Amino acid sequence: MPTVPPTRNLALDLMRATEAAALAAARWVGLGNKEEGDRAAVEAMRLLLNTVPFRGRVVIGEGEKDQAPMLYNGEEVGTGGVEMDLAVDPVEGTRLLALGRPGAISVIAAAPKGTLFNPGPGFYAAKLVVPPEAKEAIDLARSPTENLKEIAKALRKPVRELTVFVLDKPRHQALIEEIRAAGARITLQTDGDVAGALAAVLPGTGVDVLMGTGGTPEGVIAAVAVRALGGGMQMRLDPQGEEEKWNLIHAGYSLERVYTLEELCAWDDTHFAATGITDGPFLKGVRYEGGLARTESLLLRGETRTLRRVEAWHRMEKLRAISAVPY
């Protein structure tokens, strides 16, 4: 049987960046200042990304160049090598971080150049995410009730035993009412739909489905992880204002088109890393014990569908002595 030599798993390098961002942001947990927590994570992530042996280009970042220190769209990082597109969120759930609530994570997704969906001027999208067993059962063109029935059938459980992750936003009032009328349970979360998508695909989280409208950047980041885990996902642009709607239509985007997972992430050779900042359904947050800090990370490699969980203990005085990051 033919064999090929092992290739570099960039997720291991990316994990150092999400760990650094999580450690820097964790100092701001519960202090009520999401901007400074985000700023600390961005600066730490940028510093570590610039040590990775690749030519990374941020295609989904946090802001534009004149809003530094954000990792802006088009920013290039790395020391050189293979060309990769990056989707980054140094703190997914800045409000969760500021209020000390569960579910804040630091996350990076990487894929070969040109293989990630570009949402253009679209900021919001309707999403549907399910575990591998139900990936053939979903159709975003159907009603939530119809989807829940098909998902339940695929998962071999009644609808009343499904748990659906939904962002607790005014725009979801009708969706929440329909899910409850269908008999499914709901976990309402104020933020964090990348974490919600992961929870829907990973076993043992207590979440079976993600439904509802969230950010398009978070949708693309989630798509990389969902594809690597073999799950199912569909997305449709869902502008939340007339200006966003006008911009999308005049940029040539269809508001009716349902994008498949393969259109959101067009290649299997992907790398994904997430590190917990505050405790969540599948990752524990940063913990301090004496002079040590503990982190927990999730790594995914799309080509081999390898999932790694990494627990790390960091000796803080050593990090502070050698790093520019204000840990």
Side-chain angles (χ1 to χ4, degrees), residues 8 10 13-14 17 48-55 77-80:
R8 190 181 188 96
L10 285 172
D13 296 291
L14 299 178
L48 270 295
L49 283 176
N50 276 315
T51 70
V52 178
F54 69 169
R55 290 181 61 191
V77 294
T79 62

Side-chain angles (χ1 to χ4, degrees), residues 60-183:
I60 292 180
E62 285 207 313
E64 301 304 324
K65 189 172 183 178
D66 59 356
Q67 294 177 322
M70 299 301 185
L71 278 156
Y72 58 87
N73 293 342
E75 182 170 353
E76 295 185 356
V77 294
T79 62
V82 62
E83 292 186 295
M84 302 290 286
D85 284 348
L86 303 179
V88 304
D89 203 345
V91 179
E92 202 239 348
T94 54
R95 182 163 45 178
L96 302 177
L97 167 72
L99 297 177
R101 291 177 177 170
I105 62 174
S106 178
V107 61
I108 302 174
K113 183 179 179 180
T115 61
L116 295 181
F117 174 67
N118 180 0
F123 300 119
Y124 292 93
K127 308 167 194 176
L128 181 55
V129 181
V130 293
E133 299 83 355
K135 66 180 181 180
E136 303 298 332
I138 59 174
D139 184 352
L140 201 50
R142 294 194 303 242
S143 71
T145 301
E146 292 172 308
N147 273 301
L148 289 171
K149 288 179 181 178
E150 293 303 315
I151 293 166
K153 188 185 303 180
L155 296 181
R156 299 182 180 181
K157 61 170 71 175
V159 171
R160 66 179 179 274
E161 292 182 8
L162 294 178
T163 297
V164 186
F165 179 103
V166 181
L167 290 176
D168 190 6
K169 307 292 183 183
R171 62 178 176 266
H172 287 149
Q173 182 176 349
L175 173 64
I176 291 167
E177 291 173 357
E178 182 171 351
I179 292 171
R180 287 173 173 162

Side-chain angles (χ1 to χ4, degrees), residues 19 80 92 109 143 155 169 181 197 214 221 249 279 283 300 306 309 324:
E19 283 180 342
E92 202 239 348
S143 71
L155 296 181
K169 307 292 183 183
I221 293 172
I249 291 172
D279 286 352
L283 284 175
L300 301 171
T306 301
R309 290 186 179 274

